[in-house]
Amino acid sequence: TAFLVAENVAMTNRHVLERMVNEAGSDEGPFTLKARYWLNFGAQANGHKARRFKIEKVLFAGPRVIGGSGDITRLDMALLRIGPPEAGGAKHPAPLPLSLEPVRTFQPIAVVGYPAVPRVHTGVGTPPVDYELEEVLRRLFDNRFGFKRCASGEVDSAAGFQGDARRWTIQHDASTLSGNSGSPLLLLNNGPVRVGALHFAGRPREQNYAHVFDKLATELRDAGVPLV
């Protein structure tokens, strides 16, 4: 998953980017794309036509390799420059505003992204890692994956919980799957909807993690991303 944060600039996770570049094992790059990639803003469950825009360049990546660690001490964020559409006349959506407002415990949120087809546990008892119960998947996702989905929830812990020495991560309980990496976490306060954090990892049936932006203002502004 990725989303626009400025004109022709998209945000995703660094561990997502690492699948797309030749230098996946390099901390600081420079990074080169190993194939042609696009962002598709038309992957809707109701069958909207594709609106694909070419990914041209890596503008920023967190300074340490992520791999599959889910280490909250490492910045799992990347910014990409988006180029022209695959088909003439296509328009990308307006950028989503990023907020420096502190994200509070128990704050209502929504995570919007593209949950991928999961592995289904058909036995009894607690599913192993990376597997989910069919009944839960049917109830929460209606067994429809690979399309844009919205999952509501709330913040379980604000930034600065035990282990978050950088104070740039929150814990939340919105239902996510593999494929949701890079999803915007929307703040559902009264007033305009803003992106309060970037979802990046989780522990099945335990906790999800997202980076808040107040500790990342310098990196974002240097990349031309407006903040509110």
Side-chain angles (χ1 to χ4, degrees):
T1 301
F3 59 101
L4 284 188
V5 295
E7 186 70 25
N8 298 323
V9 178
M11 177 179 287
T12 189
N13 292 148
R14 167 158 179 156
H15 80 261
V16 173
L17 173 69
E18 288 172 1
R19 299 189 178 190
M20 301 163 55
V21 296
N22 294 302
E23 304 83 3
S26 170
D27 279 340
E28 298 182 358
F31 299 105
T32 56
L33 298 172
K34 61 184 179 183
R36 292 191 295 174
Y37 298 96
W38 292 265
L39 287 187
N40 179 12
F41 295 107
Q44 312 283 5
N46 58 3
H48 285 191
K49 293 182 179 179
R51 289 189 294 159
R52 303 206 315 172
F53 291 77
K54 185 179 179 182
I55 298 174
E56 290 188 327
K57 182 180 179 180
V58 180
L59 299 175
F60 171 84
R64 297 178 66 191
V65 173
I66 303 296
S69 68
D71 184 350
I72 66 172
T73 69
R74 301 188 179 197
L75 179 57
D76 198 353
M77 184 179 79
L79 297 171
L80 309 170
R81 187 172 71 196
I82 308 305
E86 180 183 39
K91 295 182 179 180
H92 58 62
L96 298 177
L98 305 189
S99 174
L100 296 182
E101 172 189 332
V103 180
R104 306 183 308 274
T105 302
F106 304 129
Q107 188 163 2
I109 60 164
V111 172
V112 180
Y114 296 86
V117 178
R119 298 172 179 172
V120 178
H121 178 61
T122 57
V124 297
T126 302
V129 175
D130 293 333
Y131 283 76
E132 298 294 341
L133 289 168
E134 193 281 332
E135 178 185 355
V136 173
L137 294 170
R138 177 180 52 79
R139 178 161 48 88
L140 294 180
F141 296 96
D142 195 30
N143 286 328
R144 303 178 76 185
F145 307 103
F147 302 104
K148 188 184 296 181
R149 306 302 299 272
C150 179
S152 60
E154 68 179 19
V155 176
D156 290 329
S157 299
F161 60 87
Q162 185 175 3
D164 179 31
R166 297 295 300 270
R167 302 185 66 84
W168 61 14
T169 302
I170 60 169
Q171 297 177 322
H172 71 88
D173 68 356
S175 297
T176 61
L177 295 171
S178 176
N180 274 111
S181 294
S183 294
L185 185 145
L186 308 178
L187 303 179
L188 302 182
N189 299 349
N190 293 328
V193 173
R194 291 147 299 147
V195 182
L198 169 69
H199 172 78
F200 67 92
R203 299 195 306 267
R205 292 165 295 283
E206 293 184 24
Q207 198 59 255
N208 288 323
Y209 300 105
H211 286 308
V212 291
F213 301 124
D214 57 343
K215 297 290 185 180
L216 306 172
T218 298
E219 291 87 348
L220 292 167
R221 288 193 175 108
D222 285 349
V225 177
L227 302 167
V228 297

